[in-house]
Amino acid sequence: MNEVRWTKKEPRRTWKVYGDKTFFVEVVCWNKGYADEWAWNVYAYVYETHRHFDKPEFIKDHAPWHYGCTLDQKETSEPAMGIEYDWQKKYTTYKFGSDYAHYRDAYFATCGPDSIPGSVIQDAEALVEWLKADEVAE
C-alpha cells in the first residue's frame, strides 16, 4: 500500500492514496453537518497524459467503483493571467468518484475521520491498480 497522508480541513479530511503524472486517487471524508455522521468518497483525477483520457465513458463504466460512478465532471484550468508564454497551456482533467451513501452503506456514516474504513481503502487501491494497468479490457 502506498503511504496515505491526510490533511485536516474541518469538517473534511483528504487522504492522497496514489499519484503520478497521469492520474491521482484520493479518499475524502466529510461531516454531513449534523450529529456525528460522516460521508466517504473515492475520487480519481485523470490527466490528459493518461491512456484512457479520451475515453471518459470507458473509465466511468468500467473502473471498479463502489456501486458505480456517482460523479463525473470535466475540469479545465489555465493560468490566472492568461496564456502569456509558449510553455503555458490550458489543462483539462476528468474527475470521477463514487460515494459510500447507498442503501447498504449505513455503516460508513458512523466511521469517523480518524482512519479510513478498510473496504474504502481497498476500493481506492483497486482503482489505482485498474488505472495503472497497461492493458484494460475494452
Side-chain angles (χ1 to χ4, degrees):
M1 178 173 106
N2 295 303
E3 178 184 349
V4 177
R5 291 179 241 142
W6 61 271
T7 56
K8 185 176 180 181
K9 294 180 185 176
E10 289 297 346
R12 171 186 163 119
R13 286 193 180 173
T14 302
W15 292 263
K16 180 179 177 181
V17 178
Y18 177 87
D20 66 18
K21 293 179 181 181
T22 63
F23 73 93
F24 84 87
V25 173
E26 69 180 359
V27 173
V28 177
C29 174
W30 49 276
N31 186 273
K32 291 184 175 182
Y34 50 88
D36 195 26
E37 287 197 30
W38 298 87
W40 290 87
N41 300 90
V42 173
Y43 295 113
Y45 297 82
V46 178
Y47 306 132
E48 296 170 334
T49 53
H50 193 275
R51 72 192 163 289
H52 293 311
F53 179 81
D54 293 329
K55 300 176 260 179
E57 289 298 318
F58 177 75
I59 297 171
K60 179 183 172 189
D61 295 341
H62 297 285
W65 304 109
H66 176 75
Y67 291 115
C69 182
T70 55
L71 172 76
D72 64 306
Q73 62 188 36
K74 184 177 185 178
E75 300 176 349
T76 303
S77 63
E78 63 181 83
M81 303 303 290
I83 297 174
E84 299 176 14
Y85 305 101
D86 59 354
W87 54 267
Q88 293 177 310
K89 68 177 221 165
K90 189 182 287 189
Y91 291 94
T92 302
T93 303
Y94 283 109
K95 179 180 180 182
F96 300 95
S98 62
D99 62 61
Y100 292 76
H102 301 92
Y103 171 70
R104 295 184 181 190
D105 290 338
Y107 159 76
F108 295 106
T110 63
C111 296
D114 294 328
S115 64
I116 304 172
S119 59
V120 175
I121 193 65
Q122 288 172 359
D123 290 348
E125 289 174 339
L127 180 59
V128 166
E129 293 307 312
W130 190 88
L131 288 166
K132 284 170 61 175
D134 286 336
E135 294 185 26
V136 177
E138 295 187 38

